[in-house]
Amino acid sequence: MATAERGWCLCELLRFFYSLLFPGLFVCGTLCVCLLIILWGIRLLLQRKKKSVSSSKTGKNQTVIAFFHPYCNAGGGGERVLWCALRALQKKYPEALYVVYTGDADVSGQQILEGAFRRFNIRLTRPVKFVFLRKRYLVEDSLYPHFTLLGQSLGSIFLGWEALMQCVPDVYIDSMGYAFTLPLFKYLGGCRVGSYVHYPTISTDMLSVVKNQNVGFNNAAFITRNPFLSKVKLIYYYLFAFMYGLVGSCSDIVMVNSSWTLNHILSLWKVGNCTNIVYPPCDVQTFLDLPLHEEKATSEHLLVSIGQFRPEKNHPLQIRAFAKLLNKKESESLPPLKLVLIGGCRNQDDELRVNQLRRLAEDLGVQEDVEFKINIPFDELKNYLSEATVGLHTMWNEHFGIGIVECMAAGMIVLAHNSGGPKLDIVVPHHGERTGFLAESEEGYAETMAHILSMSAEQRLQIRNSARASEQASPQQL
């Protein structure tokens, strides 16, 4: 009796769900059709807006080429790529109208252009229209203490929408890594879309860090200690990687900055037919023209680091390794040493990071031997590079490393992290000769710096000449 009653209840339940099937399908279908109609209406509205933007004073339609670079006034390698790309396109297509979407609303367009010339020695040949965005805070990592990748990516969609509503281009190029804006401009804006990928938002290396429960700047220790949290984060990363691959595959053309980035983008986006390596343009000739000064045995040795003050650059490793080096100095009779950290600060978070680095230097007792040079002009940068002995770089899986190339061209001996672009593309033998050094740990960096400084001036000169020769033959020269 009880079995029959349970069977009857199950049949009634199935009959109830079946009765809801067709109404549910009808409602879902109706909502989908309404959504498509709304999206199509938005697309038509944006197409009309595009025509009004591209019409010039002479009545001819101009091609509008737009770059999405919310931090275009920063002083990093990505900004050098932006200005070099604009200059190259303006020379080849002078009749086009060029637009830069930026969140640097606290400065004028002229000040941004002057900053590009001051920092990179780059001057554009034609005018650029700047579209200032007010919602850049939506892509700040500080806004998302948890699920940062997802939060920033969703925030970039809203920021992209603000950009699209102000100016609808014919060609849209994401030059800063906000891949989630690509479908927005392609399917709603009707644009041809391209990407220049410096660093994948997520990479298979990041997945392996979480999978192996390794501590990193994007994988906190409390997560690595908890197997359940590690599994949850791994699932989250896999889902995000799938979404990242979908939006990235919308690109009509993809450019990546190194072999390391190429491997990850091919794995995630799967658009090998339209993906190419375009090495970042490095103004190596300016540094190759610097004379190689003859070293003096009693002179102070400068160790210089170039890179924006972002967490992934791992400046604390440089200071800790330098502190270890100073401890070795007494026993190994090394010459006087000075560490100079040169980089750009984009916002208050970066400035706070610099203050934390200053405190770290004080805690380690090396504050008198560590200097910070923030947002310095190009000429001052050249002076430091011409006088320095060692160029430091500590980012794990650096995608390329323009600063490393510049240091090698200037005649410095580079010590970079044994991973990513530096390992695959830059600090590689040239005609069988060493061009620099690679390390991973604090102890490894300290020992390698001590080794470099203990070499004879002639041995160092041989490495400096080989490094310069490799940069003269490299494809990333201007």
Side-chain angles (χ1 to χ4, degrees), residues 47-202:
Q47 292 304 304
R48 291 197 198 97
K49 200 168 186 176
K50 179 193 290 188
K51 290 180 180 178
S52 65
V53 171
S54 60
S55 297
S56 66
K57 293 180 180 178
T58 61
K60 297 180 180 179
N61 285 337
Q62 289 180 290
T63 300
V64 180
I65 302 175
F67 285 81
F68 189 76
H69 208 103
Y71 294 91
C72 76
N73 198 38
E79 287 67 57
R80 175 184 285 280
V81 171
L82 168 68
W83 301 120
C84 286
L86 274 166
R87 184 173 62 181
L89 286 172
Q90 286 183 342
K91 288 180 180 178
K92 188 165 186 178
Y93 306 104
E95 71 285 351
L97 175 65
Y98 293 91
V99 173
V100 175
Y101 300 113
T102 177
D104 297 299
D106 56 337
V107 292
S108 67
Q110 185 59 37
Q111 287 174 314
I112 292 174
L113 294 174
E114 289 172 357
F117 178 71
R118 186 177 67 255
R119 292 167 182 156
F120 308 119
N121 201 31
I122 297 172
R123 195 179 294 281
L124 300 183
T125 58
R126 298 184 63 81
V128 172
K129 177 184 177 183
F130 290 93
V131 175
F132 292 95
L133 308 175
R134 303 292 174 180
K135 295 183 174 61
R136 191 176 70 179
Y137 65 88
L138 293 174
V139 295
E140 297 279 356
D141 55 0
S142 58
L143 191 64
Y144 312 100
H146 306 291
F147 299 99
T148 308
L149 294 182
L150 182 61
Q152 287 183 294
S153 297
L154 294 177
S156 72
I157 296 175
F158 289 99
L159 189 63
W161 175 255
E162 182 188 357
L164 187 59
M165 292 305 292
Q166 292 193 58
C167 177
V168 185
D170 296 288
V171 178
Y172 170 80
I173 301 172
D174 166 41
S175 54
M176 206 174 170
Y178 294 106
F180 281 73
T181 62
L182 296 171
L184 191 67
F185 278 83
K186 182 168 186 174
Y187 299 117
L188 285 184
C191 313
R192 299 278 290 176
V193 300
S195 305
Y196 188 94
V197 184
H198 301 273
Y199 195 84
T201 303
I202 191 168

Side-chain angles (χ1 to χ4, degrees), residues 423-437:
K423 179 181 180 179
L424 296 176
D425 294 319
I426 303 177
V427 190
V428 294
H430 179 68
H431 298 316
E433 298 292 330
R434 179 184 286 278
T435 59
F437 295 84

Side-chain angles (χ1 to χ4, degrees), residues 307-308 310-315 318 393-395 398-399:
Q308 284 185 319
R310 304 203 307 261
E312 62 269 24
K313 296 298 183 180
N314 202 0
H315 289 94
Q318 298 175 11
H393 197 277
T394 47
M395 178 176 171
E398 169 69 88
H399 34 101

Side-chain angles (χ1 to χ4, degrees), residues 169-239:
D170 296 288
V171 178
Y172 170 80
I173 301 172
D174 166 41
S175 54
M176 206 174 170
Y178 294 106
F180 281 73
T181 62
L182 296 171
L184 191 67
F185 278 83
K186 182 168 186 174
Y187 299 117
L188 285 184
C191 313
R192 299 278 290 176
V193 300
S195 305
Y196 188 94
V197 184
H198 301 273
Y199 195 84
T201 303
I202 191 168
S203 66
T204 52
D205 288 339
M206 290 168 66
L207 291 170
S208 66
V209 165
V210 178
K211 188 174 182 179
N212 297 328
Q213 295 181 250
N214 296 328
V215 177
F217 79 91
N218 60 344
N219 196 35
F222 77 91
I223 292 179
T224 62
R225 290 194 295 264
N226 190 311
F228 175 75
L229 291 179
S230 292
K231 291 291 184 185
V232 171
K233 185 167 185 176
L234 186 61
I235 293 171
Y236 158 56
Y237 266 26
Y238 273 117
L239 291 174

